[in-house]
Amino acid sequence: MSRGNLVDEAALAKALTEGRLAGAAMDVGRAADQMPSPELARLANVVATPHIGGLTPPASESQALDTVRQAEALVKGEVPPGTVNLEH
């Protein structure tokens, strides 16, 4: 699935219930908490999980090390890698 706000949940549910789609796996939804809607999650051809799909041990380690590299750059007075909105 894409980001929750990019998915038309009503159209997805219709396609799933009509058999035009065999199934969907999703860890995001349109709700404020980004969880898949209960209506979609209840469908037998939907696999719904909390928004933690990227929290594998290697991904968590990579995120932690990126944070350390960014903090190190700040301590050195440098611009951290991956900085956005640098002008602010």
Side-chain angles (χ1 to χ4, degrees), residues 3-4 20 28 37 44 54 63 66-67 69 79:
R3 289 286 180 217
R20 291 184 289 128
V28 293
S37 72
Q63 291 171 358
D66 281 346
T67 300
R69 283 190 286 275
V79 175

Side-chain angles (χ1 to χ4, degrees), residues 27-63:
D27 76 338
V28 293
R30 295 182 64 90
D33 62 3
Q34 295 187 350
M35 295 291 288
S37 72
E39 294 78 22
L40 278 173
R42 280 189 203 102
L43 296 176
N45 53 351
V46 170
V47 175
T49 64
H51 188 56
I52 59 170
L55 292 181
T56 63
S60 295
E61 180 179 351
S62 176
Q63 291 171 358

